[in-house]
Amino acid sequence: MSHFENKGLILGIMAGTAGISLVLVWYHKTRKPSAAMNMPAFTDVGNKLNSVGLEHEAHNEQGAVMVLHGRQLQILEKLNGLLVSVDELKREVKFLKEAIPKLEDLVRDELQGRGDAQRASPSHRATRRRKAEAAPGAAETTSSEEAESEGGYLTAHTDTEGDSEEEKGCKKSPDTTGQPEDELFNLLQEVDSLHKGSEDDKKESFKLLLEKEAKYENCVGFLWRFARAYGDMFEMATDAEEKKRYVSDGKAKAEKAVQLDAMSAESHQWFAIMCGYMSQFDSVQNKIRNGYLFKEHLDKAIELKPQDPLLYYLNGRWCYSVAQLSWLEKKVATALFGAPPTSTVEEALQNFLKAEEMHPGYSKCNYVYLAKCYKDLGQKTSALKYCESALSVLPVTNEDREAQKDLEDLLLTLKL
């Protein structure tokens, strides 16, 4: 039975229930006058007793009617909520129908690498446009390589030609030797140290970066660290709107860092992570789109920095999520992108094992996902082994605490 048929059945049941309630109310309202009309004449004592009984019956009937009215109101409230949900679903379907024809060709061309089009965010294009307008004899037309992709996202091959001298001076990571700006170098050393500390340290790091944003807004090393700090604030926040604001701003910083230097592994890494965070607040189509962006920039980060276990852990998470996609999610991805993302639990397992090999005891989360993969593959002994390893690691971050909940549920299923 389809989803819409199920909703139709529910509506029918509710309407039927409401109709029965109305019939009962009508019956109770008409019953008393009818009884009074057919009542025979009795003695005075009998009439008194009967009048007392009628008052009691009327009181009971009134209570029953009130209860039925209350139930009717509850049914109507639920029915109204269901109708609102149906309207929202209709709007979402209408949006998808309108968006798919426009997105399908564009995204398929992008995924197939047709033309190697380079895309930049609106803010970056505006900067380039201002430079072009300022230059004598600037062309009035815009090349196809500067066309914006849907949502203004950037590919891994962004051209940095035409940057200002200030941007060129800050483009390379300040961690390298020969960095002329001692102040920037010291600032980044400090925020790196604070990032490894407590929650208060991470908040202090974020505050320092905010204070220096205007001065170093075009420096790659500053920007990807700023995105990382936004990620820290996202993890610590509890309010949904606040979390969404942090991840949106952090994604913009990481995107700009990639624009300034497409060879910065950390910039690609944090842009990918922000895309993953953003998926928590997006519609189905944007979640899938962010999934493609996540994978694209993560692969670039691994290419540039192949010895980082975090990147393999993240890649494992992506592979595992794709392996768990529902039929409906795959169909939506096919409609939007021409082909759904593909991966398997085996591929996810290899990435988690790679992270563990490079850094034994890498994280509690990595152990939990290793256990999940082995469970899904039917290898219960190996799954229990990694559950035990995960239990030996104390939860520190919010992610660790979430992993602890998954671990407890996993142990219950494995020990059945």
Side-chain angles (χ1 to χ4, degrees), residues 7 11 77-91:
K7 287 187 175 291
L11 288 169
E77 286 175 2
K78 290 180 180 179
L79 183 60
N80 182 63
L82 185 58
L83 291 173
V84 170
S85 298
V86 170
D87 287 338
E88 291 176 354
L89 182 60
K90 286 180 179 178
R91 285 195 295 271

Side-chain angles (χ1 to χ4, degrees), residues 78-224:
K78 290 180 180 179
L79 183 60
N80 182 63
L82 185 58
L83 291 173
V84 170
S85 298
V86 170
D87 287 338
E88 291 176 354
L89 182 60
K90 286 180 179 178
R91 285 195 295 271
E92 185 75 11
V93 170
K94 182 180 178 182
F95 176 81
L96 280 172
K97 286 181 178 178
E98 293 174 353
I100 287 170
K102 300 175 184 177
L103 287 176
E104 189 173 3
D105 292 338
L106 175 64
V107 178
R108 185 181 292 113
D109 290 346
E110 184 176 338
L111 290 176
Q112 292 173 351
R114 188 168 130 189
D116 292 327
Q118 298 170 348
R119 312 184 192 281
S121 70
S123 61
H124 188 58
R125 288 199 328 283
T127 303
R128 294 173 67 105
R129 191 180 300 115
R130 286 195 297 272
K131 293 174 185 174
E133 291 169 354
E140 295 182 2
T141 59
T142 303
S143 72
S144 61
E145 290 186 347
E146 293 178 353
E148 179 189 3
S149 64
E150 182 71 21
Y153 289 105
L154 170 78
T155 67
H157 305 289
T158 302
D159 186 10
T160 56
E161 187 176 339
D163 292 327
S164 67
E165 289 301 316
E166 180 185 4
E167 289 174 347
K168 289 178 181 178
C170 293
K171 195 171 294 181
K172 289 188 178 180
S173 174
D175 311 69
T176 58
T177 57
Q179 173 54 239
E181 295 190 35
D182 291 337
E183 181 187 352
L184 177 59
F185 179 79
N186 292 334
L187 170 66
L188 300 187
Q189 290 277 357
E190 184 175 2
V191 297
D192 283 345
S193 177
L194 290 169
H195 170 70
K196 299 173 184 177
S198 64
E199 289 191 354
D200 288 338
D201 291 333
K202 291 176 180 178
K203 290 176 183 177
E204 179 63 23
S205 170
F206 181 69
K207 181 180 176 182
L208 287 173
L209 291 163
L210 274 176
E211 291 172 353
K212 299 294 183 180
E213 179 181 7
K215 187 171 184 179
Y216 299 116
E217 62 180 352
N218 291 315
C219 298
V220 174
F222 178 89
L223 285 169
W224 70 254

Side-chain angles (χ1 to χ4, degrees), residues 320-351:
Y320 190 81
S321 296
V322 169
Q324 307 297 317
L325 283 178
S326 67
W327 176 87
L328 176 61
E329 289 167 326
K330 289 178 181 178
K331 287 296 181 183
V332 173
T334 301
L336 291 173
F337 295 92
T342 57
S343 191
T344 62
V345 174
E346 289 85 353
E347 290 175 324
L349 176 62
Q350 292 308 311
N351 278 279

